[in-house]
């Protein structure tokens, strides 16, 4: 059984050492959900938005933290924000802090190609919710989307 | 008939890359994003990745061959390369990048020389595999 809520680890270990492969099609949304993807690498942003759209979300993408903060400050609303920690000009941590400082309370998932010892704690302290090694996998994303979609009756 | 043959060739080529440990299941997720509304998605994504990877490896090679290596730049290039390769399922390249990053973090010159030489040359070959997939995919679409 996959964990109901992501632990921040990007792999679902089922005790056998085997990796159970989920699909981004393993979810059917009941509500309209929107997501913002903040990634400085065009190719990565394309893939991340593709995964989210395949789950049924409407997505928008920006390639730097400044643009993300401006978008939020302008009143744009999202259910989910995925932020790469390695961004040009303003990094993902600072972007997360500034988005929270604007009063935005949506779910923020931080992703990074490489997770150092204190990276997860720093991201959570900045106001992020889930931290995952890149690429964000279905095992991490689908439980989050189900939660946002109200599919967990105990929330 | 020709299209089927090309499609089967592509599938076989991809399976080979899986078996050689060049690709992991993330590539299957990316492949699954292609549909009738977006019939060229895989080709576009692979082409973008191959271009970015080629540029990234070229930058990295230049920095590593410098008389005085700027480890901060190495970390930056390797970080981006790892993120990109992981995102498309290029697990072998991602592992090579991780090895280089570890060596840089420890400023272990012997380790990063060893980590950067053989695997990065191997992965320069791997990225030619990506180009081949993109070419095969384009040929099927035509």
């Amino acid at each position: 059984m996959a964990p109901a809520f992501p632990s921040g680890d990007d792999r679902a270990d089922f005790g056998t050492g085997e990796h159970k492969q989920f699909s981004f099609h393993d979810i059917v949304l009941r509500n309209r959900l929107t997501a913002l993807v903040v990634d400085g690498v065009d190719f990565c942003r394309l893939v991340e938005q593709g995964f989210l759209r395949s789950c049924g979300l409407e997505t928008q993408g920006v390639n730097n933290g400044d643009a993300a903060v401006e978008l939020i400050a302008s009143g744009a609303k999202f259910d989910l924000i995925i932020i790469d920690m390695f961004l040009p000009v303003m990094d993902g941590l600072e972007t997360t802090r500034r988005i929270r400082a604007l009063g935005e309370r949506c779910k923020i998932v931080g992703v990074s190609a490489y997770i150092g010892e204190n990276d997860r704690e720093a991201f959570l302290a900045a106001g992020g919710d889930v931290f995952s090694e890149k690429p964000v996998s279905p095992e991490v994303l689908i439980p989050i989307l189900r939660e946002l979609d109200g599919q967990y009756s105990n929330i | 008939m020709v299209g089927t043959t090309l499609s089967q060739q592509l599938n076989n080529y991809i399976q080979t890359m899986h078996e050689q440990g060049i690709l992991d299941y993330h590539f299957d997720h990316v492949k699954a994003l292609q549909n009738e509304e977006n019939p060229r998605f895989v080709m576009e994504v692979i082409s973008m990745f191959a271009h970015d990877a080629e540029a990234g490896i070229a930058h990295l090679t230049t920095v590593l061959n410098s008389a005085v290596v700027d480890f901060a730049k190495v970390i930056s290039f390797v970080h981006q390369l790892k993120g990109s390769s992981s995102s498309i399922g290029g697990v072998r390249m991602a592992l090579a990048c991780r090895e280089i990053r570890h060596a840089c973090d420890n400023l272990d010159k012997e380790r990063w020389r060893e980590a950067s030489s053989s695997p990065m040359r191997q992965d320069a070959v791997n990225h030619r595999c990506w180009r081949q997939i993109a070419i095969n995919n384009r040929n099927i679409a035509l």
Side-chain angles (χ1 to χ4, degrees), chain A residues 6 19 58 62 73 110 130:
Chain A
H19 176 84
E58 295 174 19
V62 293
V130 175

Side-chain angles (χ1 to χ4, degrees), chain B residues 74-114:
Chain B
V74 172
I75 287 173
S76 173
F77 288 133
V78 159
H79 189 101
Q80 287 207 16
L81 199 52
K82 182 176 185 292
S84 297
S85 53
S86 299
S87 295
I88 202 168
V91 60
R92 186 185 288 182
M93 184 178 283
L95 289 173
C97 291
R98 181 189 291 263
E99 188 62 23
I100 296 172
R101 174 66 193 262
H102 283 161
C104 289
D105 283 344
N106 297 326
L107 291 181
D108 184 337
K109 289 183 183 175
E110 278 312 305
R111 187 176 174 187
W112 70 252
R113 282 190 196 281
E114 190 181 311

Side-chain angles (χ1 to χ4, degrees), chain A residues 100-120:
Chain A
R100 288 300 191 216
L102 290 171
E104 179 55 62
R105 291 291 167 256
C106 73
K107 187 78 77 178
I108 298 181
V109 175
V111 293
S112 180
Y114 179 82
I115 298 182
E117 201 173 303
N118 301 312
D119 289 350
R120 179 170 282 117

Side-chain angles (χ1 to χ4, degrees), chain B residues 6-18:
Chain B
L6 283 173
S7 180
Q8 188 57 49
Q9 283 178 12
L10 176 60
N11 288 338
N12 291 342
Y13 191 74
I14 291 169
Q15 180 59 31
T16 302
M17 288 178 73
H18 273 289

Side-chain angles (χ1 to χ4, degrees), chain B residues 41-98:
Chain B
F41 182 81
V42 171
M43 189 179 72
E44 288 174 5
V45 156
I46 290 174
S47 296
M48 288 174 76
F49 168 71
H51 175 266
D52 287 356
E54 189 168 12
I57 290 170
H59 285 308
L60 195 53
T61 304
T62 301
V63 173
L64 289 172
N65 287 333
S66 304
V68 179
V69 176
D70 185 338
F71 281 100
K73 275 190 181 173
V74 172
I75 287 173
S76 173
F77 288 133
V78 159
H79 189 101
Q80 287 207 16
L81 199 52
K82 182 176 185 292
S84 297
S85 53
S86 299
S87 295
I88 202 168
V91 60
R92 186 185 288 182
M93 184 178 283
L95 289 173
C97 291
R98 181 189 291 263

Side-chain angles (χ1 to χ4, degrees), chain A residues 64-76 90 99 102:
Chain A
N64 67 79
D66 272 329
V69 173
E70 272 182 36
L71 196 54
I72 302 296
S74 72
M90 184 164 67
I99 288 174
L102 290 171

Side-chain angles (χ1 to χ4, degrees), chain A residues 21-80:
Chain A
Q21 292 186 22
F22 288 87
S23 159
F24 285 103
H25 300 290
D26 284 344
I27 182 169
V28 178
L29 295 178
R30 298 189 287 223
N31 302 289
R32 175 180 173 267
L33 294 181
T34 57
L36 174 65
V37 174
V38 189
D39 197 312
V41 178
D42 293 344
F43 148 77
C44 290
R45 200 170 61 251
L46 189 68
V47 170
E48 286 154 356
Q49 286 187 260
F51 287 150
L52 291 168
R53 281 198 288 265
S54 75
C55 293
L57 281 84
E58 295 174 19
T59 71
Q60 204 166 331
V62 293
N63 65 2
N64 67 79
D66 272 329
V69 173
E70 272 182 36
L71 196 54
I72 302 296
S74 72
K77 289 293 180 190
F78 299 97
D79 299 290
L80 171 69

